[in-house]
């Protein structure tokens, strides 16, 4: 799918089918214009679908031709009508984001009308060129880091693997841009990059040392709380961070590259994913990727999700401004701060979540609302207009889960869940890219 220039931090992508179809003007019996493939729909599909649904990409099938789309028109209709594709989890009416991947209402109407009229192919001579995707990449790439050796996933259908990458810099550097390049686009579903800071490196190194294969198994996170540096999923293009901002990485750190491999086509392929970074010695405003959750959930496992309950809710609200120095290890001093981007994270029983600012005045400002959580379609969302959090304002996160029998992974009997890193644990976690 296309991500029109969005900056991404956390993320994950996968899904069944994709949408798309076409258009040409022919007059129906009512005199209204009837869309056709060549004139109208082909360009919609090319712009919104084929980055994933093309030969050799992560999509489970191609949507590159008229025949491809017509052969799956029932699935196309289902995905378009439900707004599941292109994948854009944020709900309407919350905030406006850069790189909105949702299908514009006009294109959605065209696609559905085309299907309603029997998916006519039209005249190839009337074909319209698809709009090129927004330019991707960094204004400058200073480091290219990659897996030390090709890796072949062994777990089907999904494998989450973390790899420690050496950090070659000998002085503090600020990461001011990020791009990930899958080594094998057919199996790499998403990439997350964390910073194993020198004071936390031993715990991650121990996980790596204990696993005889390259890297170590990981799910949901890298095996502990540590800063997030960047993320990639099909359709996300990466690029420079907001001007003048950057995330510090100190010498003696390592980077943790978490890769979600999707092996629906079977084992065998190998991958050697890489990341490209823009680095600067200084920035105007030091950025911090602020994780937001109730500390009691993490430290005391006080987030029970009872067995059988179809709608469990937990929420946390707190005014962070006076404590920013403690929360960010002095990266951001106490006081007001600016939010540029936001993301949320739950596991497999999550159903919806919401992040918002509760102003001291009593007003509420939505940062992110995910009305239909899907673990396989996580993302980070850059605000079109950054927003300021003032002293006295609170940040609030609310999550819901369905722990009934109908919402369990295969073979699992409902049982009480709580906070944890495993596939059979849960989380309610927000992330905010902030500066002073």
């Amino acid at each position: 799918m296309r991500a029109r220039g969005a900056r991404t931090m956390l993320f994950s992508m996968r899904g069944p089918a994709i949408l798309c179809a076409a258009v040409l003007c022919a007059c129906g019996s009512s005199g209204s214009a009837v869309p056709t493939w060549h004139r109208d729909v082909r360009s919609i599909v090319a712009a919104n679908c084929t980055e994933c649904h093309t030969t050799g990409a992560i999509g489970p099938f191609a949507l590159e031709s008229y025949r491809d789309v017509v052969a799956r028109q029932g699935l196309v209709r289902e995905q378009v009508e439900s707004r599941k594709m292109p994948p854009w989890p944020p709900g309407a009416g919350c905030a406006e984001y850069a790189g909105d991947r949702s299908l514009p209402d006009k294109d959605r109407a065209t696609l559905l009308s085309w299907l309603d009229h029997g998916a006519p192919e039209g005249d190839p001579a009337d074909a319209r060129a698809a709009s090129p995707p927004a330019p991707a990449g960094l204004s400058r790439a200073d480091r290219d880091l990659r897996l030390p050796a090709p890796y072949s996933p062994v777990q089907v259908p999904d494998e989450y693997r973390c790899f420690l990458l050496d950090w070659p810099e000998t002085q503090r550097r600020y990461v001011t841009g990020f791009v990930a390049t899958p080594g094998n686009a057919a199996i790499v579903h998403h990439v997350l990059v964390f910073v194993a800071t020198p004071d936390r490196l031993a715990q991650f190194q121990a996980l790596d040392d204990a696993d005889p294969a390259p890297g170590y198994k990981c799910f949901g996170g890298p095996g502990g709380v540590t800063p997030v540096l960047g993320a990639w999923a099909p359709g996300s293009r990466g690029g420079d961070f907001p001007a003048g901002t950057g995330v510090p990485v100190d010498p003696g750190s390592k980077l943790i590259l978490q890769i979600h491999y999707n092996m629906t086509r079977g084992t065998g392929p190998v991958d050697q994913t890489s990341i490209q970074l823009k680095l600067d010695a200084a920035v105007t405003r030091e950025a911090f990727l602020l994780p937001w959750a109730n500390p009691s959930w993490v430290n005391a496992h006080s987030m029970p999700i009872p067995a059988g309950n179809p709608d469990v809710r937990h929420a946390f609200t707190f005014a962070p401004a006076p404590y920013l120095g403690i929360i960010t290890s002095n990266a951001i001093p106490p006081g007001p701060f600016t939010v540029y981007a936001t993301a949320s994270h739950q596991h497999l029983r999550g159903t919806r979540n919401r992040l918002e600012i509760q102003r001291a005045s009593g007003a509420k400002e939505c940062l992110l609302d995910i009305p239909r959580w899907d673990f396989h379609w996580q993302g980070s969302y850059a605000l079109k207009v950054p927003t300021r959090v003032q002293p006295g304002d609170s940040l609030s996160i609310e999550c819901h889960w369905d722990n009934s029998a109908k919402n369990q992974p295969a073979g699992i009997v409902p049982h009480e869940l709580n906070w944890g890193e495993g596939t059979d644990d849960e989380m309610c976690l927000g992330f905010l890219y902030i500066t002073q």
Side-chain angles (χ1 to χ4, degrees), residues 305-308 349 403 408 412-417 424-425:
I305 304 171
R349 278 82 160 195
N403 197 19
Q408 302 296 320
I412 301 297
V413 176
H415 57 284
E416 182 171 297
L417 307 173
D424 212 26
D425 297 313

Side-chain angles (χ1 to χ4, degrees), residues 373-432:
W373 172 257
D374 185 336
F375 180 80
H376 300 294
W377 288 110
Q378 299 180 56
S380 167
Y381 308 98
L383 298 170
K384 279 189 174 180
V385 179
T387 190
R388 195 81 170 149
V389 178
Q390 301 291 344
D393 294 342
S394 295
L395 290 176
S396 175
I397 186 168
E398 175 182 331
C399 295
H400 291 249
W401 299 264
D402 178 358
N403 197 19
S404 65
K406 69 177 182 181
N407 194 41
Q408 302 296 320
I412 301 297
V413 176
H415 57 284
E416 182 171 297
L417 307 173
N418 216 307
W419 186 281
E421 291 272 348
T423 58
D424 212 26
D425 297 313
E426 269 300 337
M427 288 188 179
C428 176
L429 182 60
F431 289 93
L432 301 98

